[in-house]
Structure formats: C-alpha cells, structure tokens
Amino acid sequence: MELFDIVFYVFALITLGSACVVVFSKNIVHAAFSLLFTFFGVAGIYVLLRADFLAVTQILIYVGGILVLMLFGVMLTNKVINVKIKTGTMQAWPAGIAVSILAGLLAGVFYSNWKDAQLPASTVDATTHLLGEMLMTSYLLPFEIASVVLLVALIGAALIARRNR
Amino acid sequence: MPEQLLGDITKFLPEITLTVMFLVAICADLMFRKSPQIVAGITLTGLILSGAFVLNQSGMNESIFGNMIAVDPFAVFFKVIILMSAIFVIVFSLSSVELQTASRRLGEYYSLLGGLALGMMLMAGASNLLMMYLAIELSSVSSYILAGFTKEAPDSSEASLKYVIYGGLSSGLMLYGISIIYGLTGSLDIYEINHVLAQGSVSGSALAIAGILTLVGFGYKISAVPFHFWTPDVYEGSPITITAFLSVASKAGGFAVMIRFFKGVFIDPSATHLPEGMWASLSGFEWYHVVAAISVVTMTLGNLVALWQDNMKRLLAYSSIAHAGYMLMGVVVLSNEGLAAILVYFMVYLFMNLGAFYIVMVIANKTGSEDVEDYKGIGKRAPFLGVALTVFLISLTGLPPTAGFIGKLYLFAALLNSGWIWLAIVGALNSVISLYYYAKVLRNMYLRSEASEKKTEMIDIPRVQVATVLVLLVPVIALGLYFTPLVEMAQASVKMFGSP
C-alpha cells in the first residue's frame, strides 16, 4: 500500500462516514453540518487526482454557497413556522428495494472496462490555465449558453418571489 | 481556432438573433412597464427574423463550434416547427383573458417565451452531450417559470413546483447517465462516442444502464410513460398558452435531441443497408426494444386515462402523451422512412394541437370554464368554433380527410415496411380508443343542450380570433388533401450531419 492509497482511503472514509450521518441523522441541522465533511472529503479526492481547479470550485460553490444557503434555509424556516423539522424514514421497504436494485446495477457498471485515463506525470501542473483556454475555444458555446441559463433562472426567481404591487 | 469560431458565428445567426432579442426584450420591459405589448412585439420580431435566418440555412449540412451544434436539414425542420409554434403562442397570448390577471408581469412572460424558444432551438441542433444537457436545462428552467406564471391561481403554483421537482430528478438521472457514457468512451461528442463504441470494447450492460439513464431526461421532455407524471398537473395548472406551447414545441425539441442522440451514438457505421435508408444499431445495447416498450405503454396509458377526464386541458394533456407514444413508433423502426414519418406527423400535430388548445382558450375566455360538461350546446352557441374544434379533434383521432390521417398513415406504413406488425396493430387499436374521448367532446357540443335557459345566448368572437383559428384550420384540411410537398420536405429533412 503506497502513500497515495492510504490518503485516498482516508478521504474516502471521511466522505462515506459523513454521508452516512447525513442520511441517517434525525436532526436536520446535524445532517447539514456533516454534509460539510462530505464536501471536504470529495474535494480532497479531487486534489489527489490532480484536479486542483475542481477541488477549489467544490469548496467555493458547495461549501461556501450551497451549504450555507441550506443552513440558512433550515434555521430560518425553523424560526418562522415554529415547527421542529425532523427527518424520518418513510416507506422503508420500497425505498430499500429500489436502492438495492440500483446499487446492484451500478456495481455492474463499475466492473466494466472504463476508458483508461493516465494520470499526468509526477510534475504537478496547474489545470486552471488549460481550463480557461478550453472555455474560450472548444467549449465557448456551452460557456455562453450557461450564462443565458443563469440569466433566465435569475429573472424567474425574481418573478416568482416578487410581491404584487 | 479563433478564426474557425468567428466563421461559425454566421451559421449560428438564428440563435444569436433570439438571444439578442431576449436581452432587448428584458431591457424594454424595464422601460415600458405599462405596455407589455411592446415586449410582445419585440419577441415576435425576433422570432420572425430568426425564422428567416433558419430558412436561409436550408441545405446546409455542417457542424459548428467544435461539433457542439449541427446545422443540418434535420435541425432546420425542427427549428421551423419550434419557431412557428412560438409565433402562434405569442399571438394566442395577446388575446388571452387569463393572462391579464397578471398584467404587471406580462413583459417578463413574453421575454421568457423568447428564452424558452432559444432553449428548444438549441435542443434541435445539439450534437454534444454537454450542449444537449444545457439546452434541455435552458428550456426546462424557462418552462418552470412560465408554468407558474399566474401564481395567484393555486394550481398554477402547484404545477410549477411539480414541474421543478420532476425536472430536477430526471435531469439528475440524465447527467448520471451522461457521466457514465463519458467514463466508458472518454468523450462527450456524439460522433466520437460512436467511433469508440464501433470498436466494440465497451461493455454492453454498462452502456445499457447509461443509455437508459440518459433516456430518462429525454422521456421527461417528451412526457413518455413512465416519466410523464408531471404532465397532467402541469398542463392543467399552467396558463393555456403555455400548455399549448409545451405540448408542441417542447415535445419537438425533446424528439429532436433524442433522435439525434440515439442515431448519432448507436448507429452502426458498417451496416450494409445505410444507402437505402435502413440503419442498424450497434450490438451491445438494443435500445430500440426499450423505446418500443415505452412507446406501447405511453400511447396505451395516455389514451386509457384520457377516457376518464372531464377537464379539456387534462384531456388534451393525456391525448398529447398518447401522441408522443405514436411518434415514438417512428423511432423504433430504425429507418429514414420512420424519421420522415415523425417529421410529417410533427408538422400536422403542430396545427391540430395548437388549434384545439386555442379554441379551448377562446371558449374559456368567454365562459370561464374548461370543463367538458360546460361544452354542452357550444355547437349552437358558437357554430364556427364548434365546427373548427370538430375538425381539430377528428384530425387528432387520425380520420380522413384531415391531416392527422396523413400523419398516422405514414407512421403505420413505415412500421409495416420494416416488419413491426404487432406495434402497428397496437397503434391502430389505440387510435380507436382515442376516438371515444374525442367524440365525447363532440357529443357534448352538438347532441346535448344546456339544461338552464341562461346559457343559450350566442358567443360572439372577435374577428382577429376567427382569423387565427382559420390560419390553423386551413392547413389541417389542406394537408389532408394535398400532402405531397410536406412529405417531400420531410423526406429531404431526415439528413443529419455525420451520418450517411
């Protein structure tokens, strides 16, 4: 077992362990907080795979944006409607059967031969430069369309949330 | 590369026009809050200009922006359908009473319609999985907002919320499928994926799972069973103009992107019958069996559930599910003949379905009801509307001499020519079932009269609305009698970039 493997298993353990807390915790605030560690674990695996830009994005967007938003949501709604939000298990049997079928299928997928991708040589290059160049050349169109999607979503959010005057 | 990109811009003019008009419409909305007609005018101009550029593209067969978008006859045909229905829907919206309840927001309504049309246009051409996803997302996000536009009506908010939840789930599953495909083949470009798959080193079962997960996203867009659960509620709760648009253009975009995905990714380039227009699927994942099964359940469930509906919007929603099932039969046969049949069907479907929805809207404008029971005596109170709705419904059933018959005829011919006899029989039986619920509406209109004396006065309709109905009605009859040009156009439009 090399150092690479040990580090991978540590991060994998953090990710899976905290993800289990997210799913099984009855307290929704605890669940939201342990999601933080899940995101960090995934970011660690990205770093290990030399996807530095992806790792930073993961932390900025998921931890910095989405998680904080979720916590705000949980705390504010708790106060407003004065109901303790709890998560419970409903329909355990059908859900269990569906999940195990899906897990079996995915296990089949993971044992098939994937397209080999060689890890880059040991010198660590920053990927940000390459990504930036790709966004302005071969992925120019998706980049621009993504901005239109965001604009539509913004207008829509304003339209739905706005009070009638 | 930059020179290449600059050159590609000239081949992307329809979409650029729509984007610019979308932005102009947003700014105009801020300046002229009081008169949303200005924004409607701007969006309409954008759509017509864009349509002119699309017609200019006929005969082109290229791939632009590094294989992100294909500009080929197939895409052009669907773009024409999408733009035509968008133009009709804007005209419908101008005379809708329902929308006036939210007149302060109408400017945004028209500009978002432009955004929605842009998303669908991109769906028609997308030839890269990333681009397909983004195009689907753009059209979905705009439709969520428009479905909940009359948010004061409780069922409108409910429709929007249900739409968002189902949409989020299915695009999540689709992304998962796309990521597995990327892992197996190392590419997002459909031509490149096809190239890797043709070498035969990819495991069939993994590919099948990825393909089915991706199919969820497409199935959701065309509202095929079992991804249809959102359809009845969204169609009933949305403003009727949006319902009409979703039932035609959204399905057109979904079909375009789905056919391009399956044909582009899974076609066997070494198949022997390619020149005669029969294509074969690569071995490993027999996706057309999955599509055939979906087609059968979609039309059967759509038609059977429609039997119990007593709201016109809901009835037409289930009927549109059934029509998606008929059109899926054309995908199953793996031939250019089947594709041409789908294109013919779509053009016909555009007129008959928009027409039926428009008449439901005009009647709801006057009577305030979409209930089938309230159609009693409409045949006498509004003779013109009654006759027009009769023609549209007969066409939806697929009886001669209307255009709906031609659509079904070509579909069934394609099925029989390639030996899918059992599927053709299921389709024919379904058409018979559909006659029952369409006829229920006709019976209410003509054979039953309103019990109370109050509701017997004539309904008079403004001239503009009569003209709009006529514009939709004439093609439904004309295409039923003289259909050669349409069929020839469809046969010329099956050509896709990258496949022979």
Side-chain angles (χ1 to χ4, degrees):
Chain A
M1 194 133 48
E2 289 174 46
L3 184 64
F4 183 91
D5 296 326
I6 297 171
V7 177
F8 172 78
Y9 283 117
V10 170
F11 279 125
L13 200 70
I14 294 176
T15 312
L16 283 180
S18 55
C20 285
V21 178
V22 175
V23 178
F24 294 115
S25 166
K26 287 244 189 281
N27 186 324
I28 199 161
V29 181
H30 290 178
F33 271 110
S34 59
L35 199 56
L36 181 77
F37 294 98
T38 316
F39 289 150
F40 267 118
V42 174
I45 292 175
Y46 284 148
V47 174
L48 202 63
L49 295 172
R50 293 184 195 149
D52 53 346
F53 181 75
L54 205 54
V56 175
T57 321
Q58 165 86 9
I59 291 181
L60 269 180
I61 293 177
Y62 280 92
V63 180
I66 293 177
L67 190 65
V68 171
L69 198 69
M70 272 166 67
L71 280 174
F72 264 125
V74 169
M75 290 174 171
L76 289 178
T77 43
N78 235 352
K79 275 249 172 77
V80 173
I81 53 175
N82 219 357
V83 180
K84 242 193 145 109
I85 301 172
K86 285 214 167 187
T87 53
T89 335
M90 285 186 293
Q91 316 248 356
W93 278 108
I97 294 168
V99 167
S100 47
I101 292 175
L102 203 64
L105 284 177
L106 288 180
V109 170
F110 281 104
Y111 281 108
S112 61
N113 37 348
W114 294 80
K115 181 89 174 172
D116 289 330
Q118 267 86 36
L119 275 182
S122 56
T123 53
V124 178
D125 285 332
T127 53
T128 320
H129 176 81
L130 288 171
L131 278 173
E133 211 168 273
M134 297 270 275
L135 278 184
M136 280 296 132
T137 52
S138 31
Y139 289 92
L140 178 69
L141 186 64
F143 183 63
E144 296 295 335
I145 297 302
S147 63
V148 182
V149 176
L150 290 179
L151 179 64
V152 168
L154 263 175
I155 296 175
L159 184 75
I160 289 173
R162 192 172 55 201
R163 270 204 198 92
N164 282 322
R165 287 151 299 161
Chain B
M1 190 80 191
E3 295 77 29
Q4 179 73 39
L5 290 175
L6 278 177
D8 287 343
I9 287 182
T10 52
K11 296 160 196 157
F12 197 57
L13 279 178
E15 286 85 352
I16 292 179
T17 317
L18 270 189
T19 317
V20 171
M21 283 303 174
F22 174 53
L23 298 176
V24 172
I26 293 169
C27 298
D29 177 39
L30 295 175
M31 282 184 277
F32 312 103
R33 271 272 105 159
K34 292 269 159 60
S35 42
Q37 291 83 359
I38 295 179
V39 185
I42 291 172
T43 311
L44 202 57
T45 320
L47 290 169
I48 292 169
L49 262 180
S50 171
F53 285 125
V54 167
L55 292 181
N56 210 16
Q57 284 179 339
S58 57
M60 271 165 89
N61 194 6
E62 291 177 56
S63 185
I64 55 173
F65 292 115
N67 282 350
M68 283 292 162
I69 292 268
V71 184
D72 50 16
F74 182 75
V76 167
F77 191 93
F78 275 103
K79 283 181 199 171
V80 169
I81 288 192
I82 290 162
L83 286 173
M84 274 168 65
S85 51
I87 291 169
F88 274 122
V89 165
I90 291 203
V91 173
F92 291 3
S93 306
L94 287 171
S95 60
S96 164
V97 170
E98 180 185 21
L99 289 175
Q100 295 306 321
T101 57
S103 58
R104 300 298 296 261
R105 297 194 296 268
L106 264 180
E108 274 126 338
Y109 169 89
Y110 289 116
S111 53
L112 282 172
L113 265 181
L116 180 52
L118 173 68
M120 292 163 178
M121 298 259 288
L122 291 168
M123 279 163 86
S127 61
N128 181 298
L129 296 186
L130 179 64
M131 205 54 231
M132 287 179 176
Y133 172 72
L134 271 176
I136 290 180
E137 209 57 9
L138 176 55
S139 76
S140 297
V141 171
S142 333
S143 352
Y144 302 154
I145 303 161
L146 289 171
F149 180 73
T150 49
K151 60 184 179 186
E152 287 78 14
D155 55 348
S156 183
S157 309
E158 183 193 326
S160 181
L161 190 62
K162 278 189 178 157
Y163 206 5
V164 171
I165 292 171
Y166 279 111
L169 182 68
S170 61
S171 67
L173 289 175
M174 185 185 177
L175 267 186
Y176 205 52
I178 290 178
S179 66
I180 296 176
I181 292 179
Y182 182 69
L184 293 171
T185 61
S187 179
L188 286 173
D189 182 71
I190 55 169
Y191 314 113
E192 184 69 32
I193 295 173
N194 181 247
H195 185 68
V196 175
L197 291 184
Q199 291 163 359
S201 59
V202 175
S203 123
S205 57
L207 191 64
I209 292 169
I212 290 173
L213 284 175
T214 317
L215 181 63
V216 174
F218 303 137
Y220 157 77
K221 269 278 147 207
I222 61 173
S223 62
V225 178
F227 321 113
H228 70 288
F229 292 102
W230 58 275
T231 316
D233 292 323
V234 171
Y235 280 19
E236 189 184 348
S238 310
I240 197 159
T241 47
I242 296 303
T243 309
F245 196 40
L246 288 180
S247 73
V248 176
S250 197
K251 268 192 217 291
F255 263 94
V257 75
M258 182 178 84
I259 293 171
R260 194 184 293 277
F261 172 79
F262 279 119
K263 192 175 176 190
V265 168
F266 294 109
I267 191 173
D268 185 355
S270 60
T272 44
H273 293 294
L274 274 179
E276 292 110 83
M278 297 295 289
W279 21 294
S281 172
L282 285 167
S283 59
F285 174 33
E286 266 74 30
W287 57 272
Y288 47 92
H289 290 305
V290 180
V291 176
I294 289 181
S295 156
V296 170
V297 285
T298 302
M299 57 191 166
T300 313
L301 190 126
N303 279 325
L304 287 181
V305 182
L307 294 178
W308 319 118
Q309 302 308 318
D310 42 20
N311 175 297
M312 274 306 278
K313 269 161 129 183
R314 242 182 139 77
L315 188 142
L316 287 174
Y318 279 106
S319 119
S320 90
I321 293 178
H323 282 276
Y326 297 139
M327 286 185 268
L328 277 175
M329 295 194 298
V331 183
V332 175
V333 298
L334 304 183
S335 69
N336 288 349
E337 195 192 353
L339 276 193
I342 295 179
L343 298 185
V344 170
Y345 203 100
F346 248 117
M347 191 54 95
V348 172
Y349 179 71
L350 164 82
F351 291 109
M352 60 192 186
N353 214 41
L354 283 184
F357 272 113
Y358 186 59
I359 290 183
V360 172
M361 187 193 100
V362 172
I363 291 178
N365 274 350
K366 294 287 175 190
T367 65
S369 166
E370 288 147 3
D371 206 319
V372 177
E373 287 303 305
D374 291 336
Y375 277 61
K376 282 179 185 163
I378 289 283
K380 293 194 193 73
R381 294 170 65 197
F384 174 69
L385 288 184
V387 170
L389 186 57
T390 308
V391 173
F392 289 133
L393 291 182
I394 286 178
S395 180
L396 281 167
T397 322
L399 294 177
T402 55
F405 173 69
I406 304 304
K408 286 236 170 74
L409 182 72
Y410 275 89
L411 265 182
F412 288 131
L415 281 171
L416 295 177
N417 282 346
S418 47
W420 286 84
I421 297 177
W422 68 269
L423 195 57
I425 293 173
V426 174
L429 284 178
N430 264 292
S431 301
V432 176
I433 300 175
S434 74
L435 180 62
Y436 178 81
Y437 59 83
Y438 292 129
K440 196 170 78 177
V441 180
L442 301 184
R443 187 189 58 186
N444 270 355
M445 283 200 306
Y446 287 104
L447 300 181
R448 294 197 171 167
S449 51
E450 187 62 53
S452 63
E453 291 294 312
K454 275 179 258 167
K455 290 187 180 170
T456 45
E457 81 280 15
M458 297 294 281
I459 301 175
D460 54 309
I461 319 133
R463 286 227 182 95
V464 190
Q465 298 183 8
V466 174
T468 317
V469 173
L470 275 178
V471 170
L472 289 159
L473 186 64
V474 169
V476 170
I477 297 170
L479 289 175
L481 300 172
Y482 182 60
F483 44 86
T484 329
L486 172 64
V487 173
E488 277 170 0
M489 195 170 84
Q491 279 162 350
S493 299
V494 294
K495 200 164 169 47
M496 274 186 230
F497 178 80
S499 55

